[in-house]
Structures are given as C-alpha cells and as structure tokens.
C-alpha cells in the first residue's frame, strides 16, 4: 500500500506540473494574441495619421498636457510659478533696499559711526525675510533659488567676458588706426597715410577739393644750438604736412647759430583737418643728417595766421632784389609780416603763411559731387593768376 500510495502521489505531482505548463502555454498564446492586436491597432493609427497629414498638411497633432497650478487675482488667473517668482523678486528688492538704508539720508547721519553695529542687525533681518518668503512659497525652494542664482551669475560672467573681449578688440583696432602711420613707417612703407587714408578721405571719395595751395615763407632762424663742438652748423629746413612730401630748403654751409633763409615752398593744406600738424625741423647736413630744433603747428593756428593771396607773385630773394619795395612794408620779406615760433629744444624760427591763387582746374564727376556735398575748396574765392603772370610781375 505504501508503494502504491507513493506512486499515486508522484503521479499527481506530474499531472499538476503538466497542467501548469499547459496554463503557461495558454497564457503565452493569449499574450501573443494581445500583442498582435496592439500592433495592428498601432499600424492602423499610424496609417490614419499619415492619411490625415496627406489630406490636411497644416494639421498639427495636439500633445497631452498636464495642468499647472494657478494663482487667482479676482477674475485673473496667472501661473503659480510666475506668481511666486514675482513674490521672490519683491522680497529680494526689499532686502536690497534695507541694506541701502544706512547710506541714505537722513539715516546716514545716525548710521555713519555705527555701521559695525547696524549692518549685522540688518543682515539678520534680511535673512529672516528671505527664509520666511521661501517657506511660504510652494514651488520655489532654497535649492531652486541657489542654483538659479548660480546660473544667473554664470550668464553674467559669460556676458562680461564677451563684452571685455569685444572691447579689447575695439581698443586694439583704435590703437592700430591711431598709430597706423608709425606702424607702416616701421614696416617700411613711406607715407602710409596715402595708402590707408582717414575718415575725411573716405567721406569725400578721395577728392582734393578740400585742399588748397599754401606757400610757407621762412625768413630766418636764430639761437640754434651747436651740433658739433669742432664745427659750425650746416643748416637746412625740412617741412612735412599731411599727405605732402617732405619739402627742404637748400643747405646753408657754415651758418652756425643763426641763418637767414628767405626761401619758400608750397604745400597742399586742408584748413579743417584738426588731426594733421605742420612739422618744421631745422637740421644739420652731414653723413647722417641730425635734427637741431623743431616746431609743430596745428592746423587751426596755421588757418588763423594764413594771409590772402598776393596780387603780385614773388619768389625767394627776387621779392626784394633790384626793387624799391625792399624798403617798403609791402615787401614779401618784411619782418613785420612774419611770426616768431619758439623751437624745441632751443631757437626761434620766423614763418609766414600765404594762400596761393590758382587757376581753375578740371575735376571729375565724383570730385565735383563730393566737393559739393562735403565742402569745396577755397579756389573759387581767389583770383586765378597764371605762372606767366607771376614771372611777369616779378620782372
């Protein structure tokens, strides 16, 4: 009986195991059927969406949204997060105002000598206000405020870095533009201003109508220091102005400390160019020409001293030689007409500036337009005198 009972028990366990396997197979089959049904439903919906997009190209499928908490102000409702941001902003502004109270009148008189006692009390009060505000807020916590502050500070640092980088670039461009002549001269480009130009040149389409001819008379120089102890100065003058080439007088050998030049040369002059300066240097000729003294004169000063063109042309010593006008006040080399300029480091030079009457010249269409728009020259204000008339007047 025991053997028979044990066999029955084993048989029962085998039957139960077989039933379980059959149940699992049945449930697996059910799951497969359900999965197939879901896949079919998904394919049907995708095909329906594709058909809807073909039939209605502007159709947008709405996404499921989750309602956000709102705060009510009578009939008006606003998102809770925006409302709490506003409350936190008001609290921060109140804290800043409390910190600024000791520096405002009339409290600054009382707090000026007690700030070491007042500021800790205000700090505790502000901390309490901030803690109470964060406790009453529902969607903003201290961590949220802290990481928001860190993000705002990061944005501020990045913006400041970009701003400083832009400022450095602008300053570099300004310095390069300001010292462009020296940079080009260092590279080896002579008269770099002709290559780059300035704002007035670009604004006037590189027109020459804003320039007019001016003659510079050099009477004499006095009080020059000695360049060499063993010899006298071999003096000559060199002048430069804007785009003009350097103009030089002849060399006066053995002139020493004083030299009478009575020479002149002509330059193109823009009376409204406040950046350019007339640079006149007195040099000593040698194997290497050395500068003895120099003077710089601004365009405003030159414009103030500039005289109207003379009716009779005079050239160099011919202005006073063989003529009774040498003893007259009308002489081109009359010392009364000259202005003395102190030179650096020592010496005095006597100069005179006279406009030159020129004939009318043909100009291009662009020069005419730019001259009319940005100011013409002074040629129309003077009488045209030809070179032949100048020579005839001299003889």
């Amino acid at each position: 009986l025991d053997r028979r009972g044990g066999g029955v028990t084993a048989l029962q366990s085998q039957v139960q195991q077989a039933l379980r396997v059959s149940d699992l197979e049945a449930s697996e089959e059910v799951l497969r059927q359900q999965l197939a049904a879901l896949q079919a439903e998904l394919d049907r919906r995708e095909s329906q969406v594709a058909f809807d997009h073909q039939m209605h190209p502007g159709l947008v499928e709405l996404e499921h949204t989750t309602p956000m908490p709102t705060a009510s102000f009578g009939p008006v409702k606003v998102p809770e997060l925006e409302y709490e941001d506003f409350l936190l902003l008001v609290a921060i502004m109140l804290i800043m105002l409390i910190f600024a109270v000791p520096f405002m009148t009339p409290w600054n008189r009382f707090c000026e000598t007690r700030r070491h006692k007042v500021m800790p009390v205000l700090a505790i009060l502000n901390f309490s206000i901030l803690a109470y505000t964060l406790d009453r807020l529902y969607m903003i916590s201290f961590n949220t405020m802290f990481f928001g502050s860190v993000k705002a500070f990061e944005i501020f640092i990045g913006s400041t870095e970009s701003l400083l980088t832009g400022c450095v670039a602008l300053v570099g461009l300004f310095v390069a533009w300001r010292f462009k002549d020296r940079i080009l001269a260092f590279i080896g480009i002579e008269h770099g201003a002709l290559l780059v130009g300035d704002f007035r040149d670009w604004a006037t389409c590189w027109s020459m109508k804003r320039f007019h001819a001016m003659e510079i008379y050099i009477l004499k120089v006095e009080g020059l220091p000695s360049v060499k102890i063993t010899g006298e100065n071999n003096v000559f003058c060199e002048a430069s102005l804007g785009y003009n080439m350097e103009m030089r007088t002849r060399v006066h050998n053995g002139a020493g400390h004083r030299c009478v030049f009575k020479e002149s040369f002509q330059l193109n002059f823009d009376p409204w160019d406040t950046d350019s300066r007339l640079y006149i240097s007195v040099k000593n000729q040698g194997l290497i020409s050395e500068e003895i003294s120099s003077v710089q004169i601004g365009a405003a000063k030159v414009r103030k001293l500039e005289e109207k063109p003379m009716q009779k042309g005079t050239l160099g010593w011919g202005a006073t030689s063989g003529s009774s006008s040498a003893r007259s006040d009308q002489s081109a080399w009359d010392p009364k007409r000259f202005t003395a300029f102190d030179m650096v480091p020592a010496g005095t030079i006597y100069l005179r500036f006279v406009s030159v009457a020129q004939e009318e010249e043909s100009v291009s269409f662009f020069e005419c337009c730019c001259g009319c728009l940005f100011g013409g020259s002074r040629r129309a204000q003077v009488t045209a005198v030809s070179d032949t008339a100048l020579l005839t007047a001299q003889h």
Side-chain angles (χ1 to χ4, degrees), residues 365-383:
F365 172 76
F366 292 102
E367 290 183 350
C368 179
C369 294
C370 294
C372 295
L373 292 174
F374 300 100
S377 68
R378 298 170 55 185
R379 296 173 186 171
Q381 301 177 5
V382 300
T383 305

Side-chain angles (χ1 to χ4, degrees), residues 42 66 69 89 92 102 143 149 177 207 232 320 376-377:
L42 180 61
T66 303
L89 180 61
I92 293 175
N143 290 340
S149 302
W177 177 262
S207 173
E232 295 182 344
T320 57
S377 68

Side-chain angles (χ1 to χ4, degrees), residues 96-333:
M96 295 175 62
L97 178 61
I98 292 175
F99 267 124
V101 165
F103 303 95
M104 301 169 58
T105 56
W107 300 283
N108 58 347
R109 296 181 180 179
F110 174 79
C111 300
E112 186 173 5
T113 58
R114 301 178 179 85
R115 287 178 184 171
H116 63 285
K117 298 180 180 179
V118 174
M119 297 305 293
V121 175
L122 295 182
I124 295 174
L125 175 62
N126 290 332
F127 181 78
S128 303
I129 294 175
L130 180 61
Y132 178 78
T133 304
L134 293 176
D135 181 68
R136 301 298 297 179
L137 297 180
Y138 172 71
M139 302 186 66
I140 298 178
S141 62
F142 179 80
N143 290 340
T144 305
M145 187 191 69
F146 175 76
F147 288 111
S149 302
V150 171
K151 185 177 181 180
F153 185 72
E154 182 181 358
I155 295 174
F156 172 75
I157 293 296
S159 303
T160 304
E161 183 181 1
S162 302
L163 178 63
L164 293 178
T165 303
C167 292
V168 169
L170 291 177
V171 171
L173 291 176
F174 175 78
V175 171
W177 177 262
R178 190 66 178 177
F179 297 96
K180 62 182 182 299
D181 297 334
R182 296 185 182 182
I183 295 174
L184 294 175
F186 177 77
I187 297 174
I189 301 177
E190 188 176 2
H191 296 286
L194 294 174
L195 178 65
V196 181
D198 56 11
F199 174 76
R200 293 176 61 84
D201 297 318
W202 292 97
T204 57
C205 303
W206 295 86
S207 173
M208 294 296 293
K209 291 187 69 65
R210 60 190 176 95
F211 294 91
H212 69 271
M214 178 185 64
E215 189 164 3
I216 302 176
Y217 292 83
I218 304 177
L219 178 61
K220 60 182 179 179
V221 290
E222 296 176 342
L224 296 176
S226 297
V227 176
K228 298 181 180 179
I229 301 176
T230 58
E232 295 182 344
N233 297 328
N234 299 321
V235 180
F236 70 95
C237 276
E238 182 180 273
S240 61
L241 174 64
Y243 298 154
N244 296 277
M245 301 295 293
E246 284 83 1
M247 304 295 293
R248 298 182 178 91
T249 65
R250 70 178 181 88
V251 179
H252 296 258
N253 295 315
H257 302 284
R258 184 177 183 275
C259 179
V260 178
F261 285 97
K262 280 194 175 182
E263 297 184 43
S264 65
F265 41 75
Q266 296 182 0
L267 298 173
N268 291 321
F269 176 57
D270 180 8
W272 306 109
D273 188 0
T274 57
D275 294 332
S276 64
R277 290 179 174 272
L278 173 63
Y279 184 80
I280 298 179
S281 60
V282 179
K283 296 185 176 182
N284 175 62
Q285 188 188 42
L287 295 177
I288 299 177
S289 298
E290 302 179 40
E291 183 177 292
I292 304 174
S293 296
S294 63
V295 63
Q296 294 187 27
I297 308 173
K301 183 70 173 179
V302 175
R303 184 175 68 247
K304 183 179 179 181
L305 296 175
E306 188 177 7
E307 303 176 12
K308 295 181 180 180
M310 296 183 296
Q311 297 298 328
K312 295 183 178 181
T314 55
L315 300 174
W317 287 85
T320 57
S321 60
S323 175
S324 60
S325 63
R327 297 179 300 274
S328 172
D329 291 341
Q330 301 298 324
S331 171
W333 300 106

Side-chain angles (χ1 to χ4, degrees), residues 12-37:
Q12 290 178 351
S13 62
Q14 291 178 1
V15 171
Q16 292 177 358
Q17 186 175 3
L19 291 174
R20 290 176 183 175
V21 171
S22 61
D23 291 340
L24 289 175
E25 291 178 354
S27 61
E28 184 178 357
E29 184 66 22
V30 172
L31 290 175
R32 288 178 181 176
Q33 293 177 0
Q34 291 179 355
L35 182 61

